[in-house]
Structures are given as structure tokens and as C-alpha cells.
Amino acid sequence: MPHSVPRIGISPPLLNSACPWATTLEDLKALFHCSFTGAITIRTSLLKGFQHDPSIHKYTFFDPVTHASNAESGPSSSGPIQETASLNTLGYSPISLEAYLSYISKISAEIPEPTGKLIIISVTGAPDEVVECYRLIAEHSRKVNMPLAMEVNLSCPNIPNAPPPAYSGAALSGYLNALQALIGSAPELPRLPFGLKTPPYTYADQFKTLMSALEGGGTPCPVSFLTATNTLGSCLVLNAPDCSSGEPRLPGSGIGGMAGAPLHPLALGNVATLRRMLNQSEMAKHVDIIGIGGVEDSSGYMRMRGAGAMAVGLATALGRKGFKVFEEIGAGMNNSH
């Protein structure tokens, strides 16, 4: 393993992924103090915050079979409604990175002594903006009582005129080269673990594109982890129980990113494929994987771990069930031993 690339530690290996339920200081405090999470991830932020429009940027839970939600009733939803899926047209957090760093300081001030519980700060922007995010987070890591890492979200499907950079080899290389240049030119900065949040890949060349970018520097890949996967874009949920009208559940065209149970097999396939390809790479075999996508119980957790995830993240299940989902998974894991 390349010793120059820092690793992340998550114990227990369970956390939230960047999502709407990790937005506010109250959200983050509750997640951090949950004894069943070994790390937390902050909702993806920008240097100056995202222009959130509550009339456009929404999410919904739904039954993937009937499209019904528990707010609806009718013949198409006879029997229990299983809202195991979600669809969102959200962008990024309206809260700036600077504000999130202040939140971390407040959480740190409440801790009596240093802890190993990791906070992953999810960020995005142009390559130069992500470089500035790295610099700010690295400098801030000196001031707090917990380790910090940075996740670069290159996979949101909901931003108009901004396709996910993680589908483009040139775009991926641009981010990695910019971060590598900063790390090489600023030895005074603490070395911050950073990872990439990837979209769902659906054919072999997409995986190869990512691996080529990871291996392209000719030196050990500077990436510490991959978060796989983000939501699946171009999905539509229709109003139930009468879906025949073609009326979308969410505003406008209703097209958004899908997560939850329908994403789970694709997420497992992404994690398994990435782990196999990473293991075969001398430059990138040290890269860990945080597996996310459709996990909501201990069985899903074990499947994701079996596919090769070092740790497992939750979003839809957290939104549906609240923090008790972590306890349920933890209890299921303990009962399986």
C-alpha cells in the first residue's frame, strides 16, 4: 500500500451518506452522537452555498411497485404501502462550506476529549473551487477534536447544464490533477484523506474511464476512498393511485434522481465491480469503498459489505425511519454473530 495516501477509519462501519437529513447543525449533532455510526457525512456543499428553491427542489418517498406513498390511498395501493424508494430533484446544500466548518467547531467544542469518529465533508464545484475546499478543510482539521475527510461529489444528476463529471475521463482527471498539484505544492497543509462520490455506472467502459483517471498520474493514486453510488438520474414517479394521467409527483417534468430499494442491485454491482478493479490495480488497490444505495436493514448491510464495501452509508432509509435505522442494523449485525 502507498504509505503517502492517508486511509480513513470508520468503526462501526456504518454512516449516513450526503443527503437532506444531514443539512442542519441539529442533524449533524444527532448523527455524530449516535453510537451506531462510526462516521458522518455532511450534505454536499459549495463554497458559497447552493441556490435552493423550495418550489423546485423536493423529494418524495414511494412504493416502487405502485408509486403510492403513505399520504395517498386508493385501489392501486391496497395493502401496506412499502415506501422503500425515493426520488429527488434536489441540488446541493444551501449552507456554505464555511458555515459547515463552524458547525464542526461547535460539535468539537462539546467533546471532552479527542475522538476518532470521522466527519466526511462532501463538497463540489469547479476544480479550482474544490481545491479551495480542500485547503479550508485541511486547515480546519488542526482546530477540531475529530478527524476530517473530504468527499468530492462528482455525480449529482439534478444540476441543469452540468452533467456529472464522473462520467468524463477528462473531467475526472482535471479534478485529480488540481488536487494533486495542491498537495504537492503545499506540504505545510495537513494531508487530508479525500474521496470521489461516483454515479451509478451501467456498462464496462464507464468503470474503465474511472480507473484510467485514478491510475493516470503515474504515481500512487491520491484518492483514499470512493463513495458508490449516488442516485440514478432520469427517473420519474407518477402520482398514485391514478397514474394513468401521467402527472409527475415532483414539480416540473418530475425527472430526478432515484434511490432506495430499486437502486440496491445496481449499487451492489458497482461496489463489486469497483472493488475487483481496484484490487487489480497497483496504483489504486489501497482505495476503500463506502457502499451506498438501498440499504435499510442488516441484510442489506451485509450484502453491501460482502460486495466489497469497507463501510456502508444510508440515505433513503434514514429519511424514512430516522436514527433508529442505525440501531436496527447494529442489532441485526450483533444477532448474526
Side-chain angles (χ1 to χ4, degrees):
M1 185 201 83
H3 295 288
S4 60
V5 181
R7 304 291 291 271
I8 57 171
I10 301 177
S11 181
L14 186 62
L15 69 161
N16 66 292
S17 62
C19 64
W21 307 285
T23 300
T24 67
L25 175 59
E26 291 70 26
D27 292 337
L28 301 178
K29 281 185 177 182
L31 285 164
F32 191 83
H33 293 299
C34 174
S35 61
F36 295 94
T37 58
I40 71 169
T41 309
I42 294 175
R43 185 178 175 187
T44 302
S45 62
L46 298 157
L47 284 173
K48 296 183 179 179
F50 180 75
Q51 294 300 309
H52 177 80
D53 184 339
S55 69
I56 297 173
H57 301 118
K58 293 180 178 291
Y59 65 84
T60 185
F61 302 114
F62 66 97
D63 184 322
V65 176
T66 66
H67 280 215
S69 74
N70 284 320
E72 300 165 323
S73 61
S76 70
S77 58
S78 57
I81 295 173
Q82 301 296 323
E83 289 183 322
T84 56
S86 66
L87 187 81
N88 82 81
T89 53
L90 296 168
Y92 306 117
S93 177
I95 299 172
S96 69
L97 174 62
E98 181 181 11
Y100 277 128
L101 294 178
S102 74
Y103 291 178
I104 293 170
S105 290
K106 291 176 181 177
I107 296 172
S108 177
E110 297 175 354
I111 300 171
E113 57 187 26
T115 175
K117 189 162 188 174
L118 177 70
I119 295 183
I120 300 173
I121 304 166
S122 186
V123 302
T124 196
D128 61 323
E129 294 169 326
V130 168
V131 164
E132 178 63 8
C133 291
Y134 181 103
R135 186 186 65 78
L136 291 172
I137 298 169
E139 290 177 346
H140 200 74
S141 69
R142 294 188 175 107
K143 307 172 186 177
V144 292
N145 286 326
M146 70 284 284
L148 305 181
M150 184 178 79
E151 173 191 270
V152 187
N153 185 347
L154 302 180
S155 51
C156 179
N158 295 332
I159 308 302
N161 305 314
Y167 287 120
S168 163
L172 282 166
S173 295
Y175 282 92
L176 293 177
N177 291 341
L179 286 165
Q180 191 115 327
L182 172 67
I183 292 166
S185 64
E188 73 282 1
L189 278 179
R191 182 69 164 87
L192 191 73
F194 76 88
L196 307 179
K197 187 172 188 179
T198 59
Y201 294 131
T202 58
Y203 59 92
D205 281 356
Q206 292 175 322
F207 292 99
K208 291 178 182 176
T209 294
L210 173 64
M211 291 302 302
S212 293
L214 294 177
E215 296 174 324
T219 59
C221 172
V223 172
S224 298
F225 64 96
L226 299 176
T227 304
T229 71
N230 208 329
T231 58
L232 180 64
S234 300
C235 294
L236 176 65
V237 173
L238 301 179
N239 275 331
D242 180 16
C243 298
S244 61
S245 66
E247 182 71 21
R249 175 79 57 82
L250 295 179
S253 68
I255 300 294
M258 182 188 66
L263 185 64
H264 189 54
L266 181 55
L268 287 172
N270 271 244
V271 169
T273 301
L274 289 169
R275 186 66 270 160
R276 183 177 66 253
M277 296 178 80
L278 290 167
N279 287 346
Q280 294 169 351
S281 169
E282 285 302 315
M283 295 294 183
K285 63 184 178 182
H286 63 279
V287 176
D288 288 313
I289 299 176
I290 298 173
I292 56 174
V295 173
E296 65 170 59
D297 56 22
S298 57
S299 295
Y301 169 89
M302 294 305 296
R303 284 191 294 271
M304 193 63 83
R305 293 275 282 168
M310 175 271 288
V312 179
L314 310 179
T316 297
L318 172 60
R320 287 177 51 237
K321 297 183 176 183
F323 296 109
K324 69 177 183 179
V325 68
F326 296 117
E327 183 175 358
E328 290 172 357
I329 291 175
M333 288 159 41
N334 291 334
N335 291 335
S336 68
H337 294 308

